[in-house]
Amino acid sequence: MKFDVTPGWLPFYANPSKPQVVLPAGAVDAHCHVFGPGEQFPYAPERKYTPCDASKEQLFALRDHLGFSRNVIVQATCHGKDNRALVDALESSNGLARGVATVSSDISEEELQAMHKAGVRGVRFNFVKRLVDFTPKEELLKVANKIAPLGWHIVVYFEAQDLPELWDFFTGLPTTVVVDHMGRPDVAKPVDGEEFSLFVKLMEEHPNIWSKLSCPERLSKTGPKALDGEQNAYTDVVPFARRLMQKFPDRVLFGTDWPHPNLKDHMPDDGLLVDYIVQIASTEKEQQQILVDNPMRLYWPEEVGVTLKGE
Ligand SMILES: O=C(O)/C=C(\CC(=O)C(=O)O)C(=O)O
């Protein structure tokens, strides 16, 4: 099927620069997507946007160019609950990609097992209203209880103003919970203010809750943008990410979010986005934790001697 991209869609950055930072051996890009190609893997009828295609080949080439070793591919809402593009990418990765799927509560044990075999290790619950229609919490809980025995975790995507309402649901989940993009704080507000303090409290009180320190390009209000060789991009986001890195060094992840769906202002140079990492993980030890040790524990536990619940 032929698809027309959403008007105004920004294509991902062509020919990104080579990062100046050399990533630690085995670094994991723990949040990225594949889109289509639509002709092979059609976008979901219920989607709220139609992206430009972003194939597994392009993702793996970017991985190598940027100096990452592995990817965690996250199901995006434009593919709905049809995980075929994701599973195809995982199966083509020679074990170097693992995935986070989106499933409905009537998924069968066989389907879950097949996804596990392909490399899926989590499901994503999306609460961002511009991206998805509402799903009742009981449905999500059913999914949570089905995937928990596999040792999978739950990735949640929401906006900071919705955390109070979602608090009880998140804290009642039976698995590790990974929050996308630091719970999308408003970075014009103070890092010690009420809004971000609530998120810090969530992680303080619940040791099963992790966070991705990703998407400065989405959260930043004042830049500077990761363009034209900028080595100190998105400085307004740094204090937020730095706070979580320092407080929870063994529960943070980072991902490029390539191909950066729905950005309206600019498309970052992914090489410079990788250079951003040293602003939030300033020591070799922190870089090792956020880029290697933490994602390996969560996504390739068998390689680092961790046993997943249920295995
Ligand atoms: O890619 C991201 O993490 C962010 C997205 C898209 C998304 O999550 C989705 O479509 O599922 C966004 O804020 O538009």
Side-chain angles (χ1 to χ4, degrees), residues 151-193:
W152 291 12
H153 61 273
I154 295 168
V155 172
V156 293
Y157 190 25
F158 61 94
E159 293 180 320
Q161 74 266 18
D162 297 325
L163 179 56
E165 190 261 314
L166 291 165
W167 180 282
D168 289 348
F169 177 71
F170 290 162
T171 58
L173 288 171
T175 64
T176 295
V177 175
V178 182
V179 176
D180 277 341
H181 319 332
M182 304 189 285
R184 290 200 63 124
D186 176 351
V187 300
K189 294 182 179 164
V191 69
D192 288 314

Side-chain angles (χ1 to χ4, degrees), residues 102-217:
T102 299
V103 303
S104 58
S105 60
D106 58 7
I107 185 125
S108 70
E109 184 59 34
E110 292 70 38
E111 288 170 298
L112 287 175
Q113 287 296 348
M115 279 199 252
H116 189 88
K117 192 156 175 275
V120 173
R121 292 294 180 272
V123 290
R124 191 180 197 207
F125 295 166
N126 200 320
F127 299 91
V128 177
K129 293 179 184 88
R130 75 184 152 79
L131 292 173
V132 280
D133 298 324
F134 175 77
T135 306
K137 305 254 166 42
E138 305 79 72
E139 290 294 305
L140 298 175
L141 269 180
K142 268 193 214 160
V143 173
N145 289 326
K146 276 194 175 175
I147 61 98
L150 291 160
W152 291 12
H153 61 273
I154 295 168
V155 172
V156 293
Y157 190 25
F158 61 94
E159 293 180 320
Q161 74 266 18
D162 297 325
L163 179 56
E165 190 261 314
L166 291 165
W167 180 282
D168 289 348
F169 177 71
F170 290 162
T171 58
L173 288 171
T175 64
T176 295
V177 175
V178 182
V179 176
D180 277 341
H181 319 332
M182 304 189 285
R184 290 200 63 124
D186 176 351
V187 300
K189 294 182 179 164
V191 69
D192 288 314
E194 210 179 306
E195 185 181 273
F196 198 61
S197 296
L198 188 69
F199 184 65
V200 172
K201 181 170 177 251
L202 180 76
M203 289 189 69
E204 258 166 6
E205 292 182 357
H206 300 279
N208 64 320
I209 301 188
W210 297 38
S211 178
K212 293 178 198 162
L213 310 189
S214 43
C215 271
E217 73 285 7

